[in-house]
Amino acid sequence: KYFERLTLALDAAKMGSFHWDSFTNKNIWTPYHDVNFGYEPGDGEHTYEDWSSRVHPDDLELAEAAWKTALQEHTDYICEYRIVLPDNNVRWVESYGRYYYDDNGKALRMAGTVTDITERKKAEQALQESQRRYSTLAQISPVGIYRCDKSANLLYVNKRWCEITGYTFDRAINQGWRVAIYPEDKARVEAEVERVLQEEIPFTYEFRFQRPDSSVVWVFAQSVPEFDGEGLLIGHVGTVADITNQ
């Protein structure tokens, strides 16, 4: 009954499980493990070939190395890899397992789970692609782009921001950006930054930067607040445009 309840719970979570016994060399899969790997649910008994034939050829070496390392080092087995179903549909799975040993260190059995993480992987890949596009656009942008946290620590600037201010990112990071503000504008700029962070509102301001060579540049800066999934302020993202000649 315990096994039935466990299987039901795993099925509800769309997780398959497996159990390998070293004495019988049998590998038993739960019904949802069968489904995840494109098999019709049956008696659950499977061979190594049943598993390896479903693993994406480019990931088989990785997946095998992971469980071999776990066996040799007596660590948990954790691996993400792709599988190819009979209809050639490619899915991502995350497998977690643990070996159990006798007093002499010989593996007696292994138990673990397999979860379909395809949707999570798609989301991760979409985010990575979005970040790559953002990075590319930021580098070719005609305006300076910056991002700071809720304490006004500078987290990111693009190449154009550095060209406008004359400061490298290494010098401007965290609170270093403050030294770039023209001395006569510093107090009012810092006060305005503090105000918009406290009130969680957009920032729009004209002021001057003083470059390391003492030249002065007028800029128009604007930013909008960023919030996390719970609606809490995490910082600002904005732009800086050189308006010296306007």
Side-chain angles (χ1 to χ4, degrees), residues 55-124:
V55 179
H56 193 290
D58 292 342
D59 294 353
L60 182 58
E61 183 178 352
L62 168 72
E64 288 181 330
W67 61 255
K68 288 178 181 178
T69 298
L71 176 62
Q72 294 168 358
E73 300 182 2
H74 290 205
T75 57
D76 288 344
Y77 164 68
I78 305 174
C79 189
E80 295 180 359
Y81 57 90
R82 291 167 294 174
I83 58 174
V84 183
L85 303 184
D87 61 1
N88 290 321
N89 184 23
V90 177
R91 309 289 294 179
W92 275 94
V93 297
E94 178 182 60
S95 186
Y96 172 85
R98 179 174 296 172
Y99 285 98
Y100 296 87
Y101 306 87
D102 62 18
D103 293 339
N104 297 317
K106 179 182 177 181
L108 300 176
R109 58 190 176 88
M110 183 187 192
T113 60
V114 173
T115 308
D116 187 321
I117 59 169
T118 304
E119 295 309 313
R120 190 188 83 191
K121 279 293 185 179
K122 287 181 178 179
E124 291 175 354

Side-chain angles (χ1 to χ4, degrees), residues 147 225-235:
R147 185 169 181 265
E226 285 189 299
F227 301 93
D228 63 16
E230 298 180 353
L232 300 176
L233 180 71
I234 59 175

Side-chain angles (χ1 to χ4, degrees), residues 190-219:
E190 290 181 336
E192 183 65 9
V193 168
E194 181 66 22
R195 184 181 74 85
V196 299
L197 289 173
Q198 288 292 329
E199 298 181 13
E200 301 182 0
I201 58 176
F203 173 75
T204 303
Y205 218 59
E206 291 185 7
F207 61 94
R208 289 167 289 184
F209 279 123
Q210 185 169 30
R211 293 167 172 160
D213 63 3
S214 296
S215 60
V216 176
V217 55
W218 273 96
V219 298

Side-chain angles (χ1 to χ4, degrees), residues 140-171:
I140 64 174
S141 173
V143 297
I145 297 175
Y146 67 92
R147 185 169 181 265
C148 68
D149 67 15
K150 62 182 180 181
S151 298
N153 290 304
L154 193 65
L155 305 176
Y156 169 83
V157 294
N158 68 344
K159 180 180 179 182
R160 181 56 181 153
W161 189 96
C162 295
E163 292 173 347
I164 291 173
T165 65
Y167 284 84
T168 65
F169 175 62
D170 289 340
R171 292 190 65 182

